[in-house]
Amino acid sequence: MNLIEIWHYHRPSLAKIYLDTLNAGLVTTTTIFAPRRAGKTSFLLKDLTPAAELAGYTVVYADLWQTKLSPGVSIVRALERALEPKTTIESLMAKLNTPIKKLKANAEIGGVKIEGEVELGDIGKKVQTEIALQIDVLIEALCKKKPVLLLVDEAQELAKTKEHEAVATALRTAITKNQTRLRVVFTGSSRTQLAHVFSNSNAPLYSTGAAIADFPRLDRDFVEYIAERFEASTRRTLPVVLAWQAFVRLGQQPEPFLVGIVDMVLNPSLRLDGAMMAIEEKLARTENHEGAWAALDQTQKALVRMIAENPSLKPFSKAVVVKLRKIIGIESLEATHIQRAMTKLSSIVVKSPRDTYEFENEAFGQWVRTLAE
């Protein structure tokens, strides 16, 4: 039995906020940003989905991370599953109808390349267009039955290639055509790439995703809840203050934190500090923080260090320019050099709506604060 599933921290009030916003009619879509492992997928599936179903929606969940070479495949498969007959009679009737055409694809699912028939065609520009047409047909068919809530997870994948624009355009068309019966929640783990999908004036989903809103981070209540579950399961105490500090060091990401807690459940001799250190080291290895750090030049490294310590940094201010000159030993350094360095760092740090800098991958930010030489 999966302990992480059992220990899910439910957020019904947050689910209600999103549903109330969509039901009010002022917007038909919303876009949520959160770093990976922040718990947004668990929230979509275990909190927002049951709340929406209770409110009368057919909920369709598509994870574009599953088929990064063709996000349209994920969307079509999710829509098809929602249309699958639920009873024996419906199943027999469905066999009398012409099935939706399957296509063949080279896809990447969960990091594994799959060649052959995946569903819906050889992945290429022509077939992406065909997939886009299927999206339009399937959404319209679902909306005729009940209101639909479409959850598109990791939507930044729609910005990766030109071929994916046909899929994004199909979504925009479906949203416009079915605006009285369709609501959409997009999520993403890269603020920069989400901007390419929704904020650039030439993007196919420009303005469709409404404003990109931060997904509220789990707070100390989550840690206290986990401490209660830990004590109930093990008859041992989890120190809340230290657990909260560890959770913050992990960027308030529930997934790696819970992996460490499960390790403690299974190994009674393992202490909190040892469990969390092991998780931090594992994240550093699997995400190749050392490689990312080694690829930076002196100026970029100094800026990343400064931002890690002070997210409100003003990198082009006179004080920062003077400080950087001393750090890297180049008296001729000017604001223009810093501008070029910050441009190259755009995939690592981004400006948030709060006018502060944040790491696209907070685990890397924490590695810089604690492990970088």
Side-chain angles (χ1 to χ4, degrees):
M1 186 172 291
N2 191 327
L3 291 176
I4 295 178
E5 296 295 324
I6 295 172
W7 288 18
H8 175 68
Y9 178 72
H10 289 282
R11 307 173 78 177
S13 59
L14 183 58
K16 185 176 185 302
I17 288 172
Y18 285 123
L19 276 180
D20 287 349
T21 300
L22 293 170
N23 287 335
L26 294 176
V27 296
T28 57
T29 69
T30 189
T31 304
I32 302 169
F33 163 78
R36 291 186 63 199
R37 307 187 185 91
K40 61 184 183 297
T41 298
S42 293
F43 169 77
L44 292 180
L45 296 176
K46 298 171 188 174
D47 295 309
L48 187 57
T49 290
E53 288 175 342
L54 193 61
Y57 283 95
T58 293
V59 180
V60 181
Y61 172 78
D63 180 6
L64 305 196
W65 191 262
Q66 284 187 332
T67 51
K68 293 189 286 184
L69 297 184
S70 180
V73 169
S74 289
I75 296 172
V76 170
R77 291 175 70 182
L79 292 167
E80 285 186 322
R81 283 194 296 269
L83 276 171
E84 285 176 358
K86 302 299 188 295
T87 69
T88 303
I89 294 177
E90 287 175 327
S91 179
L92 290 172
M93 292 296 292
K95 291 179 180 179
L96 301 177
N97 300 322
T98 303
I100 296 172
K101 187 169 93 174
K102 289 188 176 182
L103 307 172
K104 295 182 179 179
N106 295 326
E108 182 174 313
I109 301 177
V112 179
K113 289 185 178 180
I114 295 180
E115 297 182 356
E117 187 173 84
V118 174
E119 251 169 9
L120 302 176
D122 295 323
I123 302 306
K125 189 170 182 179
K126 179 179 179 181
V127 174
Q128 291 287 7
T129 301
E130 189 168 354
I131 289 173
L133 293 174
Q134 290 289 347
I135 289 172
D136 185 55
V137 170
L138 291 167
I139 287 179
E140 187 170 357
L142 281 169
C143 286
K144 286 179 179 178
K145 295 183 175 184
K146 289 173 65 177
V148 174
L149 176 63
L150 175 60
L151 309 175
V152 182
D153 211 355
E154 301 296 351
Q156 72 271 354
E157 296 302 319
L158 293 170
K160 292 295 179 67
T161 70
K162 286 288 185 182
E163 286 75 15
H164 297 171
E165 288 188 0
V167 176
T169 301
L171 285 175
R172 185 187 184 98
T173 300
I175 291 167
T176 302
K177 286 172 58 178
N178 302 282
Q179 56 187 298
T180 62
R181 303 275 285 177
L182 176 66
R183 297 292 181 266
V184 185
V185 175
F186 297 99
T187 80
S189 55
S190 169
R191 194 187 298 279
T192 301
Q193 292 175 13
L194 280 176
H196 291 326
V197 178
F198 299 108
S199 301
N200 294 350
S201 59
N202 61 346
L205 282 171
Y206 174 62
S207 77
T208 301
I212 299 174
D214 285 353
F215 183 60
R217 291 185 177 185
L218 289 163
D219 56 21
R220 187 169 170 137
D221 287 347
F222 165 75
V223 174
E224 291 175 353
Y225 169 81
I226 295 303
E228 291 174 2
R229 297 307 304 265
F230 180 84
E231 184 171 355
S233 299
T234 65
R235 299 295 184 264
R236 299 177 351 242
T237 300
L238 184 70
V240 173
V241 173
L242 295 178
W244 167 246
Q245 292 171 353
F247 187 52
V248 170
R249 285 200 308 274
L250 288 170
Q252 291 169 256
Q253 298 178 95
E255 181 184 319
F257 178 76
L258 285 173
V259 169
I261 297 300
V262 169
D263 287 344
M264 292 177 64
V265 171
L266 300 177
N267 183 0
S269 66
L270 184 61
R271 294 170 56 88
L272 177 66
D273 54 354
M276 293 302 150
M277 184 178 295
I279 293 300
E280 291 176 22
E281 291 175 351
K282 182 178 179 180
L283 287 174
R285 289 194 305 272
T286 57
E287 297 183 1
N288 192 24
H289 295 334
E290 290 185 358
W293 181 254
L296 304 178
D297 64 26
Q298 277 188 304
T299 304
Q300 293 162 3
K301 285 179 179 177
L303 284 166
V304 168
R305 281 180 181 271
M306 294 169 74
I307 290 170
E309 295 301 324
N310 177 20
S312 300
L313 184 78
K314 306 298 181 186
F316 312 116
S317 67
K318 184 176 180 179
V320 171
V321 173
V322 171
K323 186 173 181 179
L324 280 170
R325 286 172 181 168
K326 292 180 180 178
I327 292 173
I328 64 178
I330 300 177
E331 287 299 322
S332 60
L333 186 75
E334 299 293 343
T336 53
H337 301 121
I338 298 175
Q339 177 65 59
R340 284 197 289 271
M342 290 299 295
T343 299
K344 292 179 180 178
L345 289 174
S346 61
S347 62
I348 296 176
V349 292
V350 294
K351 202 71 169 290
S352 78
R354 297 177 297 279
D355 201 33
T356 59
Y357 286 97
E358 60 186 29
F359 284 84
E360 286 276 18
N361 182 353
E362 178 53 32
F364 179 67
Q366 184 59 29
W367 182 86
V368 171
R369 295 183 192 100
T370 59
L371 299 177
E373 296 180 354

